[in-house]
Amino acid sequence: MTAAYNDFSGQNAERVRALSDGVFAVAMTLLVLEIRLPLSEGGLTNHELWSELVDLGPRLAAYLLSFTMLGTFWLAQHTLLGLTDRSNRSLSWANLFFLLFVTTLPFTASVLAEHPHLSLAVGVYWLNLALLGLTLAGCVWRTARGGLVPEGHRDQLAIFGRRIALAQGLYAAAALLALVSPPTSIAALAVVQLFFVVAPRLGRVA
Amino acid sequence: MTAAYNDFSGQNAERVRALSDGVFAVAMTLLVLEIRLPLSEGGLTNHELWSELVDLGPRLAAYLLSFTMLGTFWLAQHTLLGLTDRSNRSLSWANLFFLLFVTTLPFTASVLAEHPHLSLAVGVYWLNLALLGLTLAGCVWRTARGGLVPEGHRDQLAIFGRRIALAQGLYAAAALLALVSPPTSIAALAVVQLFFVVAPRLGRVA
Amino acid sequence: MTAAYNDFSGQNAERVRALSDGVFAVAMTLLVLEIRLPLSEGGLTNHELWSELVDLGPRLAAYLLSFTMLGTFWLAQHTLLGLTDRSNRSLSWANLFFLLFVTTLPFTASVLAEHPHLSLAVGVYWLNLALLGLTLAGCVWRTARGGLVPEGHRDQLAIFGRRIALAQGLYAAAALLALVSPPTSIAALAVVQLFFVVAPRLGRVA
Amino acid sequence: MTAAYNDFSGQNAERVRALSDGVFAVAMTLLVLEIRLPLSEGGLTNHELWSELVDLGPRLAAYLLSFTMLGTFWLAQHTLLGLTDRSNRSLSWANLFFLLFVTTLPFTASVLAEHPHLSLAVGVYWLNLALLGLTLAGCVWRTARGGLVPEGHRDQLAIFGRRIALAQGLYAAAALLALVSPPTSIAALAVVQLFFVVAPRLGRVA
């Protein structure tokens, strides 16, 4: 009975895409809930409001970093699911675990924003990135194993896998710097992230 | 007039799917809002942050359990709506009641996370699972009764119904253990849940 | 230039549907955020947890009422947009104003849940329902005026309009009772709501 | 390798649309979370509730303004993406940065609602609008440069760009008034906004 259920369960790639877009949309928007002015009695001057905004700087930086992280992973999953027009139960579950670590990013980002001077905070944030990479690799594996990608797109799956490995290697190297200096480590994560957003475009022009 | 309205109301299965994906996405992401560090003055050490993270353990466990529960029910509803490409007013309402109990899971999960030693907390959580099962069965019944499934898929509807009964039987048995020991009952729910995520894959391999 | 822009703006009915499903999904799930246990030190007994849950009764009732309200309006808009496969700029804006009052329902529902004994609270809640009805009627009008509905579906648009008028008449009558007794008025709203969920099915059987 | 990845990355315009609808839906609904009654002990009179509601007036006005802003930008992006049925990696990123400033609007709107008498608060809010305009223009540029729009729709892209410039010019002029009087500046923003919602319809009639 179980096997039979699995044969017709979770086939619709559109549903997998729609749930994923929903989870990413909510996670991206919830990130910003961390950015709030302190409660005030009103009656501030421009100068006082300016200091409050400046104090939000680190949170804003953590927000920008995490938003582009979510953007990168969204684009990656968008690309992966674009290689197939079918799903199956295994890919659906692999994708659910990927989404699980999308939903935890607002939490780990807030840990980082509150304690940017602690190596443990960088470690927690990096662990979230690593689990996103691992579960995304799980999605690639399930897509390959389930024969969901047409013959002509197999190469793209391999390119995709190598790109995940490259990204995770760079994230891990940046995170390791936290043992020496957590702020440097965060800056390195931001530079790696900038590379993934900007550099590939330069490559395109070249 | 009412009957006439009903004849053209709620026909679009895509809308039912899209609303469902949205509700699941928001509920899955809101679950994580329960996981927060206590407000601190900053200036923690790695050691203090570690203790705060360890204290979040039970909430994190409740989160993981509830996320996979929502994943299971999402996959089930995804599978059910995959059997039909039409909807009607009755199925739309049955699905709305199913979604109602999706939205309450973040609340009942927080009751469980705050009071894991109370049998009443397990009871509240189980009641939510039972109502999810009952309303999902209502969706199956409305799909069958409305003639929305093509002839060749009727068997799958029966398999689906038996699977809901099996899952609910196991959840109820696990929840009953709360009369003896609430933590054991929660562990049993987790084991049942693990079975639904992992075991069917083993069955697939066999 | 403006007229030209309007000629190609907001044409995609799928986008209007997707935004609407998203707004309804978030609003339905946010409603439940109002239902929370009071912060406790842990160490409650089953008996104490039970009293806390009983105290949440009025909020739970307000939640159920508002969820079915949103369900009714979602189903109505789903039905309306099911009559057309095109949109235009005017319908897009009419629908945005309808969604505006979807997003305010969690607020007006919390006013009702906190002050069920005040006629003003019932009035605020009713005003939200009336504005939902009015803006939905605006969507009907824009759909008719824009020639978006094929010839054969014009009757359905008229039936639809009469149904909105009937519902709003009943809501207004129920709300008027608040001048005598707010709790009776809320009960009357619930009965009207029950009629829209259940009675049409009876009519269908008949 | 990077170039090769880019060649098949982010192609699906449906995913870009779905993520955007999700982000707009969440942002629109989160705006309303700023509107809350003060915590009370219950037992208010109608008169006391009325004063509390009146006190929410400025927040409600900021909400209405920001909701129609998001509506305008949603409609604009809806129109832009309606000109193409393909996407690419560059457009996906340009759109992600546009969505970034959609998610920050609930924050900048709350700054405006709390400090409507400060020119800096108007400045922060205007900066958000300007960044929305800039990133939307980036989407137009990426769409044009990527050859994503069929030959016959190139004119519409130019009209679109001029409309963004017009809107941003009016927003900037309204915001500049904040140097003299912040409340006047907010009123001017509302008038400009009203023009974009209402006036184009008049133009349509004419």
Side-chain angles (χ1 to χ4, degrees), chain A residues 86 88 90 140-149, chain B residues 204:
Chain A
R86 287 184 301 136
N88 62 25
S90 297
V140 175
W141 185 63
R142 284 295 174 187
T143 305
R145 196 137 169 282
L148 299 172
V149 171
Chain B
R204 192 187 188 90

Side-chain angles (χ1 to χ4, degrees), chain B residues 5-6 8-10 12 15 18 22-23 30 34 89-90 92-93 96 100 103 107 115 117-120 142, chain C residues 17 21 25 29 32 35-36 44 46 50 63 67-68 72 74-75 77-79 163 196-197 200-201 204:
Chain B
Y5 175 76
N6 288 349
F8 65 92
S9 171
N12 188 342
R15 291 296 302 269
V23 168
L30 284 185
E34 294 294 321
R89 187 177 148 84
S90 297
S92 292
W93 267 113
L96 278 166
L100 170 61
T103 67
F107 168 67
H115 304 292
H117 58 294
L118 292 186
S119 55
L120 181 55
R142 283 296 173 185
Chain C
R17 287 184 195 114
D21 288 333
T29 320
V32 89
I35 307 178
R36 302 189 68 84
L44 293 191
N46 274 327
W50 177 252
Y63 174 66
F67 188 95
T68 61
T72 305
W74 173 78
L75 199 56
Q77 193 248 25
H78 164 171
T79 303
R163 193 170 167 101
F196 278 107
V197 179
R201 294 196 183 173
R204 189 184 190 91

Side-chain angles (χ1 to χ4, degrees), chain D residues 174-193:
Chain D
L176 267 177
L177 288 176
L179 296 177
V180 185
S181 157
T184 309
S185 171
I186 299 173
L189 277 173
V191 169
V192 169
Q193 194 45 31

Side-chain angles (χ1 to χ4, degrees), chain D residues 5 16 31 37 46 69 76 87 104 112 123 127 129 141 143 145 159-160 165 167 179 193-194 197 200-201 206:
Chain D
Y5 175 77
V16 178
L31 278 173
L37 291 181
N46 274 328
M69 285 288 178
S87 178
T104 56
L112 189 68
L127 183 64
L129 296 181
W141 185 64
T143 306
R145 195 135 169 286
I159 292 174
F160 198 88
L179 296 177
Q193 194 45 31
L194 204 64
V197 179
R201 295 197 182 170

